[in-house]
Amino acid sequence: MHRSELTIDLGALRRNVGTLLRALGGAGVWAVVKADGYGHGTADVAGAALGAGASGLCVATIPEALALRLDYPQVRILVLGPAGGSREIAQAREAGLELAVADTEIPQGVRVHVKLETGMGRYGVSELPGRAREIVGLMSHLATADTDAPFAAQQIERFAALTDGFPGVERHIANSAAALRIPEARFDFARCGLALYGLSPFGDDPARDGLEPVLLWQSALAQVKLLQPGESTGYGRRFVVERPTWIGIVPVGYADGFRRDLTGTEVRVGGEPRRVVGTISMDSFAVELDGELPVGTPVVLVGHGVLMESHARVAGTITYELACGIESGPLRARRTVVDA
Ligand SMILES: *Cc1c(COP(=O)(O)O)cnc(C)c1O
C-alpha cells in the first residue's frame, strides 16, 4: 500500500449522475468539474459524467476549460467565473467555450449565459441586457439551497419572473442541493458538483439522498508504539497519556490534505473506528489503538463508511473544502481509477 492511496470509483459517479437525473424529472445535468473535479480528477470525472448522461461541463476558469477542451472537443463547456480580460475572451471564442457573464456588456462571437442577481449578492446583473444572439442561457445561483428553503424559493421566483418569455434560451439556477430537494428549481438543467462525487450538500450521510461516495482514501500504519504514562505524541504535546496507550502513526498529514483541524475525528484502522489524537503534522498523524497492531495495518481516512461529512463537522468546515484540499499529485499520492 502506498502511504497515501486515492481510489476514484467512476461507477459510483455514474450512479450519482443517474440519481440526479431521476431527481430532476426531465431536466438535464451539467457536471461541475472545477477545482480538479473537487479534488477527484477533472478529466476522469468529466468523461464518466458525460457517459452517464450529463449534457455539458462547468468549470470556474478559462484555463480549466481550455484543458478540458483538449479531451472533449465537441462537448459544451460553460465557464462559471469571470474571464480575465480580452485575451481570455478570445481564447474562449476560439475554443468554442460558453461564458457566464455578469455584465450588461456582452462579448461578441462567444455564447454566453447571463448571470442574474437574485439574492446571492456576488456576481450578477439585476436587469437583463438587450437581446443579443450570443445569449444562449439565463442563469442565477442559490445562496441557501441547503439551509434556508424560503429564501431559496424567493430567489427562484425572482428568477422565474425575470427570465419568463425568452424562447430558445436555456434557464438554470439549481446546484446539487436544489437538484435533490427543490423541484421548483429545475428549469432546463441543474449545475451539479458536490452530489456527483457522492458527497452530501446537506452535510448528512449522502446515502439519505441516494448518493455514493466516489473517493476512497487509504494509508497504512507506518509505526506502532506503546506510550507510557506521562508520554505524548506530536507537536505541542497535546496528547499526553495517563495509562499505557498503544498508538499508530499514519504517514499522511496536512500537506496531503489531512488538515490540522481534524484532530479528534475518526478513521478506520484494520476496519475499526479509531480516534485521531495529538497535533496533525505536515506528513503524519497519530491514532489511538486499543492494543498492538502490526505495521502495515490498513487505515481508511475517507470511504468505506468513513464520511467526509463527519470530518467536515470536526474541522468546522464543509466537504467542498476538504475534497478540494486532498493532494492527489504523484509526488504525494498514488491515484487509481476504478469502475466498480
Ligand atoms: C460551483 C458551482 C455550482 C455547483 O455547486 P454544487 O453545490 O457543488 O452542486 C453551481 N453553480 C455555480 C455558479 C457554481 O459556482
Side-chain angles (χ1 to χ4, degrees), residues 158-234:
R158 225 172 275 161
F159 180 68
L162 277 168
T163 60
D164 199 25
F166 291 85
V169 174
E170 290 165 309
R171 301 195 288 174
H172 48 107
I173 189 168
N175 54 8
S176 293
L180 291 165
R181 297 198 187 169
I182 312 180
E184 297 75 25
R186 288 172 186 166
F187 296 93
D188 294 304
F189 61 83
R191 306 179 303 267
C192 298
L194 200 72
L196 292 179
Y197 309 104
L199 298 170
S200 167
F202 312 103
D204 294 340
D205 184 341
R208 281 190 56 182
D209 289 280
L211 301 170
E212 286 177 56
V214 168
L215 181 139
L216 173 64
W217 191 6
Q218 294 172 286
S219 184
L221 295 181
Q223 184 145 72
V224 175
K225 62 171 66 178
L226 183 62
L227 295 180
Q228 296 299 339
E231 293 186 328
S232 60
T233 180

Side-chain angles (χ1 to χ4, degrees), residues 212-293:
E212 286 177 56
V214 168
L215 181 139
L216 173 64
W217 191 6
Q218 294 172 286
S219 184
L221 295 181
Q223 184 145 72
V224 175
K225 62 171 66 178
L226 183 62
L227 295 180
Q228 296 299 339
E231 293 186 328
S232 60
T233 180
Y235 288 113
R237 305 196 73 226
R238 284 171 59 205
F239 181 74
V240 182
V241 302
E242 285 168 5
R243 48 196 159 74
T245 303
W246 284 99
I247 60 161
I249 308 298
V250 182
V252 170
Y254 59 78
D256 303 290
F258 200 83
R259 291 159 49 128
R260 216 164 158 277
D261 43 14
L262 284 173
T263 297
T265 198
E266 275 186 354
V267 296
R268 275 177 194 262
V269 181
E272 298 296 323
R274 295 286 173 244
R275 196 161 58 98
V276 173
V277 293
T279 304
I280 291 162
S281 306
M282 190 183 289
D283 311 308
S284 68
F285 67 85
V287 284
E288 185 176 2
L289 306 177
D290 70 349
E292 188 174 9
L293 283 178

Side-chain angles (χ1 to χ4, degrees), residues 32 34 38 80 115 122 139 141 174-177 191-195 201 320:
V32 181
K34 58 192 177 186
Y38 292 37
L80 299 169
K115 209 162 185 182
R122 210 170 59 174
M139 63 184 284
H141 196 34
N175 54 8
S176 293
R191 306 179 303 267
C192 298
L194 200 72
Y320 295 80

